[in-house]
Amino acid sequence: MSTSLTYIIGWPFAAALLLCVVPRNYRFVMRLVAVSATLVSMLLAIKLFCQFNGAPADADGFKFVHKLPWWGVQSLGIGYHVGVDGINVGLILMGAIVAFAAACAAWEINDREKEFYVLLLVMTGGILGAFASLDLFFFYFFHELALVPTFIMIGVWGRGENKNLATFQITLYLSLGALISLIGLIALYVMSGAQSFDIVEITRHVREHPLSLASQNFIFPLLLFGFGILISLWPFHTWAPLGYGSAPTSTAMLHAGVLKKFGLYGLIRIALPLLPQATAHWATVISWLCLGNIVYCGLVAMRQKNLNMLIGYSSVAHMGFVFLGLVSLNIIGVTGAVMVMIAHGFLAALTFGLSGYIYQETGTLEIAQLGGLLRRLRFVGAALIMAMFAGCGVPGFANFVGEVSVFFGAWKNFPLVTGLALWGALVIGAVYMLRAVRNVLHGPLPDKWMAVAESTWPLRKLPYLALLMSLLIFGFFPRLLTDKIQPSAETIVNMATAPAMNVRASVVAQANP
């Protein structure tokens, strides 16, 4: 038993409670508490990531496990249970780093700071709890705890003329997605017969008593479309670009970077290993849907006139790579999918953070009104160029490793979809990313931006530097991640493909009695 994960999750919640008693006019103290709490969580997450050696895992396949069975409803099999394996240890690290960067970037908030920082810390604790939970109830509970602040923060601190529409859309879509996935999780609890919400117990029970094909075909679409709406799977993606474009910088960084990965994590942790036959049945459908993310959303991104909307559509497009890696159902594809999730978390947070900085300095994100800003914002401009290169899949960044692994993994099963996705990534992605760089950072500098100046305070650059360094470190040394991910990816792939292998073996045996 280890309490490391509980401390990582608990620090933001404890800081949120502390902020409730800090006087409203102590603005610097509130900011200091928020940044300090996320910093402590980040340092603990880095320590845990370094201590996790990937394999061999313990009897249940998880390490740093902490159980508090009394915190729950024992009669229903609900209890606090957290732990890590190769799938979620990197996600928790990414979430903690992005949360620290988001807390640092929240210096732009000058109204109702106390409420904002409380919501930001609750969101952070909920995100880290969702990725660490090994109990379906707390898995869902922590996600909802992180989701609710998103609606409030966009509605109160959002920007732009479409703020109210964005709040309405994101509330409607994400509530619907959460409801559908909840029905799927309850159906899994009932139909599995495990009499427990504990993921480890359900997995053990399903290994001994596999779910019938009818049960799998009932549960899988609920999880796919419920989680798919939360992820912004095409064609359920329309909430995402407008929501991120209207959200405060810190909220967009946390939601687009981390919280959106919750649905993908749910599919990897629950749907693939526990519903293998349904996964194989739906794989082709998912591969074409993910192509919609990559190609359609990429083409729409090319038409955007607002930098945040462009980044929002780009973020949606990148989710297609993760889906493609998942349905490849092989180790290299699933490993690449997890790698893309982590890399995209850093990238999305970095790009939304930099666009927020530009908005704070210029008051607009309309691309036609910008231009030549690299002369006035050298660090921010250089960081934005590097982020755009990372988004294009340029070698040296973590995104390249993840996307190449996905393409290698998916090629065998889906050559046509993979070929079209590769074209979308290389051509469409490069066009809208490079156009954004040219129109925002290069060209003549309008007179009205002559007075724009970059902050000389080093701490203003710290969040962007942390995110950029994370992309570069895992880009140049990808084995820091892949060596941890692969053993767990192999376990999930073996569970997801075992029925198909058994069927093939049976056919061979019947053909050769």
Side-chain angles (χ1 to χ4, degrees), residues 393-409:
V394 172
F397 298 95
N399 308 71
F400 170 78
V401 181
E403 290 173 15
V404 167
S405 301
V406 165
F407 288 134
F408 276 120

Side-chain angles (χ1 to χ4, degrees), residues 47-54 63-64 84-86 89 484:
K47 180 183 176 186
L48 182 136
F49 181 82
C50 295
Q51 291 176 338
F52 183 86
N53 59 6
K63 295 183 177 181
F64 301 102
V84 293
D85 65 356
V89 68
K484 298 180 193 301

Side-chain angles (χ1 to χ4, degrees), residues 13-234:
F13 287 126
L17 288 174
L18 177 62
L19 281 184
C20 291
V21 299
V22 173
R24 190 173 293 278
N25 57 336
Y26 283 35
R27 299 168 63 183
F28 180 78
V29 174
M30 288 187 284
R31 292 171 177 172
L32 187 63
V33 169
V35 172
S36 300
T38 52
L39 175 63
V40 173
S41 279
M42 183 183 73
L43 294 176
L44 290 174
I46 292 172
K47 180 183 176 186
L48 182 136
F49 181 82
C50 295
Q51 291 176 338
F52 183 86
N53 59 6
D58 62 11
D60 292 328
F62 295 95
K63 295 183 177 181
F64 301 102
V65 171
H66 190 207
K67 285 185 178 181
L68 295 173
W70 51 266
W71 190 21
V73 183
Q74 294 187 33
S75 60
L76 293 176
I78 297 173
Y80 177 82
H81 183 191
V82 293
V84 293
D85 65 356
I87 303 298
N88 64 348
V89 68
L91 291 170
I92 291 170
L93 173 70
M94 180 269 289
I97 294 174
V98 171
F100 169 69
C104 291
W107 292 95
E108 65 175 13
I109 300 298
N110 292 308
D111 179 41
R112 301 183 186 180
E113 294 98 328
K114 183 172 181 173
E115 290 86 348
F116 185 87
Y117 282 114
V118 169
L119 291 171
L120 187 74
L121 289 167
V122 171
M123 190 176 177
T124 301
I127 287 170
L128 297 174
F131 284 121
S133 290
L134 297 178
D135 183 280
L136 288 180
F137 174 83
F138 282 95
F139 173 72
Y140 189 83
F141 168 77
F142 277 122
H143 173 258
E144 292 302 295
L145 206 57
L147 199 57
V148 172
T150 307
F151 308 144
I152 302 172
M153 292 160 91
I154 295 176
V156 176
W157 291 275
R159 58 190 178 218
E161 298 176 356
N162 296 320
K163 181 179 75 172
N164 292 333
L165 175 62
T167 308
F168 175 75
Q169 272 195 358
I170 200 169
T171 304
L172 190 66
Y173 270 88
L174 298 190
S175 298
L176 179 64
L179 178 63
I180 295 173
S181 58
L182 176 63
I183 295 171
L185 294 176
I186 293 174
L188 177 63
Y189 168 79
V190 173
M191 293 180 175
S192 70
Q195 302 297 312
S196 173
F197 278 89
D198 193 304
I199 294 174
V200 175
E201 292 296 328
I202 294 175
T203 304
R204 190 179 297 146
H205 185 85
V206 169
R207 274 179 166 167
E208 296 171 358
H209 308 90
L211 283 160
S212 68
L213 182 59
S215 299
Q216 292 188 36
N217 282 334
F218 177 77
I219 299 169
F220 189 86
L222 291 170
L223 296 182
L224 172 63
F225 292 111
F227 287 141
I229 294 172
L230 300 178
I231 301 162
S232 65
L233 173 67
W234 183 86

Side-chain angles (χ1 to χ4, degrees), residues 247-259:
T249 301
S250 302
T251 308
M253 291 171 71
L254 268 176
H255 195 284
V258 194
L259 189 56

Side-chain angles (χ1 to χ4, degrees), residues 232-244:
S232 65
L233 173 67
W234 183 86
F236 311 109
H237 65 284
T238 51
W239 62 269
L242 184 60
Y244 298 146

Side-chain angles (χ1 to χ4, degrees), residues 210 213 216 272-273 275-281 283 328-329 413 492-508:
L213 182 59
Q216 292 188 36
L272 264 65
L275 310 168
Q277 290 167 300
T279 302
H281 177 74
S328 68
L329 294 180
N413 295 333
I492 288 173
V493 168
N494 288 340
M495 290 185 69
T497 56
M501 294 173 65
N502 291 338
V503 169
R504 283 197 293 272
S506 174
V507 170
V508 171

